[in-house]
Structure formats: structure tokens, C-alpha cells
Amino acid sequence: MRIGVLGTGNMADALATHWVRAGHQVTIGGRDARKAERLAARIGGSAKPASLRAAAKSGQVVLAALPFGAGADVARELHAALEGKVLLDCSNPVGPGFRLLTEGGPSAAQQLAAAAPGARVVKAFNLCHEDVWRMWPPVFDGRPLAVPICGDDETAVARVRELVQDVGCEAVAGGGLERAGLLEATAALFIALWVGEGADAQAIAPPLAYAAGPSHRESGGGTRAFHQEF
């Protein structure tokens, strides 16, 4: 697969490294040519440096590894080059005090979609620190890390699912792009718990078998009961 990467930061480094090792052709795009060259050299293999526009044109999938706010501006600037491409958003619109910066408005992913209306936007890879994405594979207590994916286009979601697997993770269907805001809000909550409170965010959810309550483990009516009781 041909992958364009917009950005030269930690997320670009972590994810692109896995994808090059998986055999994909990766183009690292940056406004600063020297940063793009250094990152491509560090990743090695098929990675090559380019401008943002060239990276957008090169990829079947384009990763927007850019800070919230900058992503929409770059997508708007490159909208013609992104026409028909899978545009993968991993940003987190989280500000001071762990505040969700998109509260009351479109999600960061929806803002990307509005900025590049011809692209097929997918949300993924936003729930973990970049150092987790550097792991190979990210397995905890014997269980591979699960990565929710939100997107409206089935083909685009399938491509991102493949890239999730190339990082050593399990893809989880997260619904359409309208649910990307839920992923972003989840990240804001998790970061507040992890960083602000020093709490284990995993501990707030029971195992799947108990998700609808212990009495529904054997009944098979867990999903229905969950909707009725909550």
C-alpha cells in the first residue's frame, strides 16, 4: 500500500515505522524539508521525504499526524491532492485542564472531512501515547491492544483495519464518522484519569462478560438488558 504521512512528529514516526516494516511504501511529508529527511532516514526502508503536497498525492492512505487545528488547515490547503484518498485522523483535541476543545461542535475528524470533502476520513490511533504505538506488538497481559475505527466508507475502513493489524493490534468497529467525537471524548477522559489523577482508566470498565451485569452472563440477553436498564 502507498501511504502518505502529513507531519514529522512522534505519531508519524511511530506508525510509519511499523508500516515500512510491513512492506508499505511510505512518503513522509513536512513543511520543513530537513525534518522530513531526518525522519525518513531514521525510519529507513521504503520511507522517503517529500513536501506535504507530494505526500498527500503519493498515498492511497494519508495519515494526518498533525496537531488539532493544524490538521484542518492543512487538509483545506491540500484538498485537491486528497480527493478520493483515505484520510486517517489520529489527533486529539484536548486542551489545558484536559478539556475537550471540540465540545458542542464537530469532532476533529469531522472538521477534517469538511476541510477536504473529497477525502474519505477515518478516525483511529488516538487513544494511546505515541510510545505505545512504538511497541511491537502492543500486547498487555497477553491481550493485543484493540483499536477502534470510525468511518463511513467501507473500503476506507478496510484499509485502515489492515494498517491497524500491521501495528500488531486488533481492529474494532467503532461505527460511522459521527462517532469519532466519542473516541475523542474518551481520549480526553482517559488522559484526565491517567495524567490528572494517576488512575487506571482500564479499571473503570468491567470485563465483557459482565458488561450488562452478572445476571445476564448466561441469558444471552446482555445487549437488550443494557439498553433497557441504562
Side-chain angles (χ1 to χ4, degrees):
M1 192 185 307
R2 298 189 311 278
I3 303 170
V5 177
L6 307 180
T8 56
N10 290 328
M11 285 295 288
D13 187 353
L15 294 175
T17 296
H18 287 300
W19 294 335
V20 166
R21 289 173 180 169
H24 300 294
Q25 299 175 28
V26 176
T27 301
I28 304 294
R31 291 196 189 280
D32 187 324
R34 295 174 69 181
K35 286 184 178 180
E37 289 169 0
R38 285 197 296 268
L39 179 53
R42 183 161 67 247
I43 293 171
S46 69
K48 61 181 182 180
S51 66
L52 288 172
R53 187 173 301 278
K57 287 182 177 180
S58 71
Q60 297 163 290
V61 175
V62 179
L63 171 68
L66 299 163
F68 171 65
D73 290 340
V74 171
R76 193 172 296 109
E77 179 183 340
L78 302 179
H79 69 92
L82 293 169
E83 185 80 23
K85 306 295 180 71
V86 179
L87 182 56
L88 175 54
D89 175 37
C90 64
S91 69
N92 275 324
V94 180
F98 314 110
R99 183 170 61 91
L100 185 64
L101 300 177
T102 56
E103 188 173 1
S107 67
Q110 288 173 317
Q111 291 180 36
L112 272 188
R120 297 173 290 168
V121 177
V122 177
K123 186 82 181 188
F125 294 112
N126 73 304
L127 293 182
C128 297
H129 189 274
E130 61 263 17
D131 285 344
V132 173
W133 302 123
R134 295 183 195 279
M135 297 173 63
W136 177 257
V139 173
F140 304 94
D141 296 326
R143 183 174 63 179
L145 184 68
V147 179
I149 302 172
C150 292
D152 294 332
D153 185 280
E154 291 184 7
T155 301
V157 169
R159 286 190 181 276
V160 173
R161 181 179 293 272
E162 179 183 343
L163 296 179
V164 167
Q165 293 168 346
D166 288 336
V167 177
C169 300
E170 293 186 353
V172 176
L177 196 65
E178 77 280 356
R179 298 187 70 183
L182 299 179
L183 281 185
E184 296 168 7
T186 298
L189 173 62
F190 280 9
I191 293 168
L193 291 173
W194 288 324
V195 179
E197 303 296 331
D200 182 359
Q202 279 194 320
I204 69 177
L208 178 60
Y210 291 87
S215 63
H216 299 285
R217 291 186 67 195
E218 305 299 333
S219 69
T223 301
R224 180 182 176 191
F226 190 94
H227 285 298
Q228 288 175 335
E229 296 170 11
F230 291 85

